[in-house]
């Protein structure tokens, strides 16, 4: 297997109020140098679109680890530690109000919680003054494709709907100064 040859940094809107953080690039992501563009990314994009989120406009998408691990394995703690300063800088520069953590690797890297994604998903967490929503990784959804109520796909849609609703509230609270006055008006 060929080792990763390029960094996979991000895609989407660097001015978005929503950031999605995944695990690490897969083969397709490594090839195109963009996160979440393979089968998992297509699943994620469909789910986000189903709740009214546009992956190019509404969200900044990145991964904890910027290089594809050998044999597409889960990143090691050392790889996560080496990549974390880069991720921290992305978070500081984008400055999102909301962060979605896709899968247990992202949850562990950001929240420091190992395991338990099934219990964490769907519940807002407060991390460094930002709202964080853990959810199942799209690769897990591909392995569990049931559309039934209570199945992982339905739960993830519900989680993303919560994200969309909170993002709407944040956008409604944004204020813009009115020229020539000391007052501010809500952005429409």
């Amino acid at each position: 297997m060929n080792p990763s040859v390029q960094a996979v940094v991000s895609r989407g809107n660097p001015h978005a109020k929503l950031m999605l953080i995944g695990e690490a690039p897969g083969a397709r992501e490594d090839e195109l140098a963009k996160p979440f563009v393979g089968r998992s990314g297509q699943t994620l994009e469909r789910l986000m679109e189903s709740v009214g989120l546009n992956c190019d406009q509404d969200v900044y998408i990145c991964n904890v680890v910027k290089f594809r691990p050998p044999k597409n394995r889960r990143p090691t703690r050392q790889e996560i530690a080496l990549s974390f300063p880069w991720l921290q800088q992305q978070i500081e520069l984008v400055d999102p109000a909301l962060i979605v953590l896709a899968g247990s690797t992202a949850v562990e890297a950001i929240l420091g919680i190992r395991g338990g994604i099934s219990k964490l998903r769907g519940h807002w967490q407060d991390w460094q003054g930002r709202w964080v929503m853990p959810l199942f990784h799209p690769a897990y959804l591909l392995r569990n494709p049931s559309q039934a109520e209570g199945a992982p796909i339905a739960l993830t849609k519900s989680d993303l709907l919560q994200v969309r609703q909170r993002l709407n509230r944040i956008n409604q609270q944004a204020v813009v100064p009115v020229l020539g006055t000391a007052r501010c008006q809500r952005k429409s």
Side-chain angles (χ1 to χ4, degrees):
M1 171 167 268
N2 292 334
S4 177
V5 294
Q6 58 188 339
V8 177
V9 180
S10 67
R11 74 178 178 111
N13 181 356
H15 304 288
K17 292 181 175 104
L18 172 62
M19 177 182 272
L20 182 133
I21 302 171
E23 177 178 285
R28 187 77 174 139
E29 289 78 9
D30 187 37
E31 179 183 324
L32 298 176
K34 291 182 182 180
F36 284 101
V37 293
R39 288 182 57 226
S40 292
Q42 292 166 6
T43 299
L44 175 68
E45 200 152 329
R46 279 192 302 274
L47 287 168
M48 292 183 86
E49 286 173 356
S50 77
V51 299
L53 290 169
N54 181 298
C55 286
D56 295 323
Q57 297 172 0
D58 299 323
V59 62
Y60 178 86
I61 301 172
C62 62
N63 283 309
V64 171
V65 174
K66 309 305 180 199
F67 293 90
R68 181 179 180 211
K71 299 182 182 177
N72 209 36
R73 64 163 166 68
R74 181 182 173 145
T76 65
R77 285 185 181 176
Q78 182 180 16
E79 289 166 335
I80 292 169
L82 287 171
S83 296
F84 197 71
W86 193 340
L87 177 61
Q88 282 181 303
Q89 188 173 34
Q90 284 180 293
I91 294 168
E92 289 172 18
L93 291 171
V94 174
D95 194 26
L98 304 176
I99 297 176
V100 170
L101 301 175
S104 60
T105 299
V107 168
E108 183 178 336
I110 295 295
L111 299 177
I113 300 171
R114 289 188 58 112
I117 189 75
S118 294
K119 292 179 183 175
L120 288 172
R121 58 124 306 264
H123 300 283
W124 288 105
Q125 308 291 316
D126 181 21
W127 178 75
Q128 297 185 357
R130 301 174 202 280
W131 289 108
V132 176
M133 173 64 78
L135 50 83
F136 292 124
H137 193 283
Y140 176 75
L141 302 178
L142 288 171
R143 295 189 302 270
N144 297 278
S146 172
Q147 298 285 333
E149 186 176 329
I153 289 175
L155 294 173
T156 302
K157 282 183 185 178
S158 173
D159 299 345
L160 287 171
L161 187 57
Q162 285 187 63
V163 170
R164 178 73 215 172
Q165 290 167 343
R166 186 155 293 195
L167 185 61
N168 286 346
R169 285 196 302 274
I170 288 168
N171 287 336
Q172 289 171 354
Q173 293 171 358
V175 293
V176 191
V178 176
L179 292 176
T181 70
R183 298 179 331 172
C184 292
Q185 294 182 340
R186 290 196 181 276
K187 191 188 276 186
S188 52

